[in-house]
């Protein structure tokens, strides 16, 4: 099938068991929502011109009466449904038909101003408040955003222009942001042209993001794909992302505010991710990681035409920690830098951060990586006087064009079966005595090697029609038509 629609759409209440595992486990089937209405029943007009914010708000207000009766479904049929920001409710399914497009308004007044996140202390781009996301939820339980390959388009070009001309009054909005929520599923949809980060679960638990395509122009500023932020038990699977910044960025708060809020991101599972960008990375941790990041498992990744494949971003003043990270089965093509530690992300929210708050970076394993036409294998730069330790590289083969494939400083770790030969701080072998220092390797040492590598073509069955068309070079204008 060209378009694989996963059965997750019809199942709910996921019971998670990811600690110590690299698999997202679903154990309880969902019930189909017993109540359903269409957005047209509330006066919405799908002509791409009529503003339908009130229709969405009124529909969801009405459906709230069914929250304790098994929940409800809001059906969005084919059409172009222009809207400003609207809130979701608990026990709701927002369902977009195949030809349905929710369009974000280009009027900033349709995106309300809200308080900054407490773990950031201010808007991420400007001091003070920020614009609320197009689709927003707070303190929700059991919320599903899904459909039959429908589309949510933020029409972000106006926001990118305001950002680049420095005429923003507040930090740009996300396309989807859910806060303090539990039991979230986002699946089987296309997300286009976010004004800022695209999908942002923050202070959430039990989040599944599966079979989505996220697209924005490669020169669009800060249009991250998926940013789990101070969230736990997050599963991201079978996604295609092509944006102007990081495809996935795992975060947990900014400097003293993130340290004080103290909510880490943990148990983050990423499977079968395909994509590219020119100004970001495939998988990033940070740079806002002051609340801590741990227990991240990312496997079966394909990044092409990308600036950096895997990056850790931090700085003096961040504090926090990044530990117990396992990344494996990675295929790269035409990538500038395969692995990078950048410890000089020195942007801070204000002048009250502690410059002596140094991050603790430890037990990071990168395994089974193959790459062609790679400029630099690794730029791994820690912080003098800090602890960047137990970095383990195993079974990595990169066709590198640079005469200096590795550049390392202020790090410590081990390696085995790495080509080109790694830098001096990592030359001590993992075998036989250091495998226990390498996160998640004790059960994997005998399975490393080419037998575990898959061709990136193995990802194709998981990509929806929009992703396949984008891979074949069609523009977003072609796709929308």
């Amino acid at each position: 099938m060209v378009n694989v629609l996963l059965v997750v759409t019809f199942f709910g209440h996921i019971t998670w068991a990811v600690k110590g595992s690299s698999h997202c486990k679903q154990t309880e089937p969902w019930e189909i929502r017993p109540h359903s209405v269409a957005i047209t029943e509330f006066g919405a007009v799908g002509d791409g011109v009529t503003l339908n914010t009130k229709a969405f708000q009124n529909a969801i207000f009405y459906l709230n009466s069914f929250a304790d009766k098994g929940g409800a479904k809001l059906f969005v049929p084919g059409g172009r449904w222009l809207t400003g920001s609207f809130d979701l409710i608990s026990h709701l399914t927002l369902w977009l038909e195949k030809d349905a497009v929710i369009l974000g308004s280009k009027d900033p007044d349709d995106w309300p101003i809200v308080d900054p996140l407490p773990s950031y202390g201010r808007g991420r781009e400007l001091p003070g408040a920020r614009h609320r996301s197009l689709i927003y939820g707070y303190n929700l339980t059991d919320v599903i955003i899904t459909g039959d390959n429908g589309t949510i388009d933020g029409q972000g070009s106006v926001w990118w222009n305001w950002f680049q001309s420095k005429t923003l009054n507040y930090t740009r909005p996300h396309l989807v942001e859910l806060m303090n929520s539990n039991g979230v599923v986002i699946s089987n949809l296309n997300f286009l042209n976010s004004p800022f980060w695209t999908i942002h679960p923050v202070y959430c638990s039990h989040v599944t993001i599966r079979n989505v395509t996220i697209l924005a122009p490669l020169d669009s500023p800060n249009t991250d794909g998926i940013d789990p932020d101070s969230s736990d038990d997050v599963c991201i699977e079978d996604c295609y992302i092509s944006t102007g910044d990081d495809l996935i960025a795992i975060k947990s708060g900014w400097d003293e505010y993130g340290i004080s809020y103290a909510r880490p991101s943990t148990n983050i599972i990423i499977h079968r991710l395909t994509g590219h960008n020119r100004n970001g990375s495939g998988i990033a941790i940070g740079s806002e990681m002051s609340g801590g990041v741990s227990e991240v498992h990312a496997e079966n990744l394909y990044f092409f035409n990308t600036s950096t494949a895997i990056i850790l971003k931090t700085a003096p003043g961040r504090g926090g920690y990044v530990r117990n990270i396992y990344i494996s089965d990675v295929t790269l093509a035409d990538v500038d830098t395969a692995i990078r530690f950048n410890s000089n992300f020195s942007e801070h929210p204000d002048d009250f951060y502690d410059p002596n708050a140094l991050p603790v970076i430890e037990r990071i394993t990168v395994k089974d990586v193959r790459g062609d036409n790679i400029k630099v294998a690794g730029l791994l730069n820690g912080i003098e006087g800090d602890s960047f330790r137990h970095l383990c590289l195993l079974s990595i083969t990169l066709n590198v064009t640079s005469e200096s494939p590795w550049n390392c400083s202020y790090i410590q770790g081990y390696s085995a079966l790495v080509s080109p030969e790694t830098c001096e701080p990592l030359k001590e072998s993992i075998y036989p005595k250091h495998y226990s220092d390498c996160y998640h390797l004790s059960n994997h040492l005998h399975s490393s090697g080419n037998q575990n590598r898959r061709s990136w073509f193995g990802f194709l069955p998981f990509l929806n029609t929009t992703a396949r068309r984008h891979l074949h070079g069609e523009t977003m204008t072609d796709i929308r038509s």
Side-chain angles (χ1 to χ4, degrees):
M1 293 178 63
V2 173
N3 184 11
V4 178
L5 296 177
L6 302 179
V7 293
V8 67
T9 306
F10 301 102
F11 295 89
H13 297 311
I14 293 177
T15 298
W16 280 77
V18 297
K19 290 186 182 294
S21 169
S22 61
H23 301 286
C24 308
K25 297 180 180 178
Q26 298 171 218
T27 59
E28 296 183 22
W30 296 349
E31 296 179 1
I32 295 175
R33 306 293 192 196
H35 307 280
S36 178
V37 297
I39 190 64
T40 50
E41 297 175 49
F42 297 84
V45 179
D47 58 5
V49 177
T50 304
L51 188 66
N52 295 295
T53 311
K54 286 295 184 183
F56 278 99
Q57 292 171 342
N58 290 340
I60 290 171
F61 179 80
Y62 168 76
L63 292 175
N64 196 38
S65 62
F66 300 102
D68 60 350
K69 302 177 179 65
K73 173 173 145 181
L74 176 58
F75 177 75
V76 182
R80 297 174 62 79
W81 309 91
L82 182 68
T83 181
S85 174
F86 62 90
D87 289 61
L88 303 181
I89 56 173
S90 294
H91 310 296
L92 174 76
T93 297
L94 176 64
W95 176 280
L96 278 69
E97 196 175 44
K98 180 178 180 180
D99 295 322
V101 182
I102 291 178
L103 292 170
S105 169
K106 294 183 180 181
D107 184 345
D109 291 339
D110 293 326
W111 306 66
I113 306 303
V114 295
D115 291 336
L117 294 170
S119 58
Y120 285 70
R122 48 161 278 185
R124 182 58 186 83
E125 298 180 296
L126 293 169
R130 63 200 182 104
H131 285 279
R132 195 175 70 174
S133 62
L134 183 67
I135 298 176
Y136 177 78
Y138 182 80
N139 279 351
L140 303 184
T141 300
D142 177 25
V143 60
I144 304 165
I145 305 170
T146 189
D148 184 10
N149 201 31
T151 298
I152 300 172
D153 186 342
Q155 301 198 104
S157 61
V158 293
W159 297 94
W160 310 331
N161 292 336
W162 293 327
F163 170 79
Q164 290 164 338
S165 64
K166 298 183 179 180
T167 56
L168 285 170
N169 294 317
Y170 302 97
T171 291
R172 287 173 287 162
H174 310 299
L175 195 55
V176 177
E177 182 179 74
L178 299 173
M179 294 179 59
N180 297 99
S181 297
N182 182 68
V184 173
V185 174
I186 301 173
S187 68
N188 303 325
L189 291 174
N190 306 300
F191 297 86
L192 308 182
N193 303 316
S194 178
F196 194 41
W197 306 342
T198 304
I199 299 176
H200 185 223
V202 57
Y203 320 139
C204 288
S205 298
H206 306 120
V207 177
T208 297
I209 302 171
R210 178 177 286 129
N211 197 33
V212 302
T213 294
I214 301 174
L215 304 178
L218 296 179
D219 61 352
S220 57
N222 312 110
T223 51
D224 294 11
I226 303 170
D227 287 12
D229 197 343
S230 293
S231 293
D232 57 88
D233 294 335
V234 177
C235 176
I236 302 169
E237 293 186 322
D238 305 319
C239 295
Y240 177 87
I241 305 174
S242 173
T243 62
D245 208 332
D246 301 326
L247 308 186
I248 293 177
I250 302 168
K251 302 174 179 291
S252 65
W254 197 9
D255 286 7
E256 71 270 27
Y257 301 102
I259 294 171
S260 175
Y261 198 78
R263 170 132 187 199
S265 280
T266 187
N267 294 330
I268 312 291
I269 308 301
I270 303 166
H271 288 153
R272 297 178 299 279
L273 172 68
T274 300
H276 73 123
N277 59 56
R278 292 309 305 158
N279 297 300
S281 61
I283 291 181
I285 298 176
S287 70
E288 310 88 347
M289 38 62 66
S290 303
V293 175
S294 69
E295 317 304 325
V296 176
H297 290 242
E299 304 180 51
N300 297 328
L301 315 173
Y302 172 60
F303 303 133
F304 63 99
N305 296 333
T306 293
S307 175
T308 303
I310 299 161
I311 191 169
L312 166 65
K313 300 183 282 190
T314 188
R318 288 289 189 269
Y321 58 85
V322 176
R323 63 167 63 101
N324 295 350
I325 311 297
Y326 179 79
I327 299 173
S328 73
D329 299 318
V330 183
T331 301
L332 308 176
D334 304 308
V335 170
D336 292 344
T337 304
I339 308 169
R340 186 174 186 185
F341 288 1
N342 187 336
S343 302
N344 193 34
F345 266 75
S346 55
E347 187 180 10
H348 301 284
D350 52 38
D351 294 331
F352 300 110
Y353 72 96
D354 178 5
N356 297 314
L358 300 180
V360 175
I361 312 298
E362 60 186 1
R363 289 172 59 81
I364 297 176
T365 296
V366 181
K367 170 179 170 285
D368 290 340
V369 181
R370 179 173 57 191
D372 292 320
N373 195 27
I374 311 300
K375 289 184 180 178
V376 177
L379 299 175
L380 305 174
N381 302 118
I383 299 172
E384 185 176 5
D386 198 3
S387 175
F388 284 54
R389 63 183 191 139
H390 299 335
L391 169 63
C392 299
L393 306 181
L394 173 62
S395 188
I396 297 175
T397 302
L398 302 172
N399 176 5
V400 176
T401 60
S402 171
E403 295 182 0
S404 300
W406 297 91
N407 184 318
C408 305
S409 62
Y410 307 116
I411 63 168
Q412 177 275 330
Y414 316 99
S415 63
L417 304 174
V418 175
S419 176
E421 186 177 16
T422 189
C423 50
E424 193 64 35
L426 301 177
K427 282 188 176 178
E428 188 171 359
S429 179
I430 293 171
Y431 304 101
K433 61 181 180 179
H434 293 301
Y435 73 88
S436 61
D437 295 327
C438 298
Y439 179 64
H440 205 62
L441 275 193
S442 58
N443 295 327
H444 291 262
L445 283 177
H446 301 295
S447 64
S448 63
N450 290 333
Q451 72 267 22
N452 281 339
R453 291 202 182 102
R454 338 173 350 158
S455 163
W456 76 271
F457 291 101
F459 293 106
L460 287 178
F462 301 102
L463 301 183
N464 66 21
T465 305
T466 303
R468 287 165 175 257
R469 293 178 66 182
H470 193 267
L471 265 175
H472 283 89
E474 295 186 52
T475 68
M476 284 188 288
T477 301
D478 297 329
I479 291 169
R480 285 194 293 266
S481 63

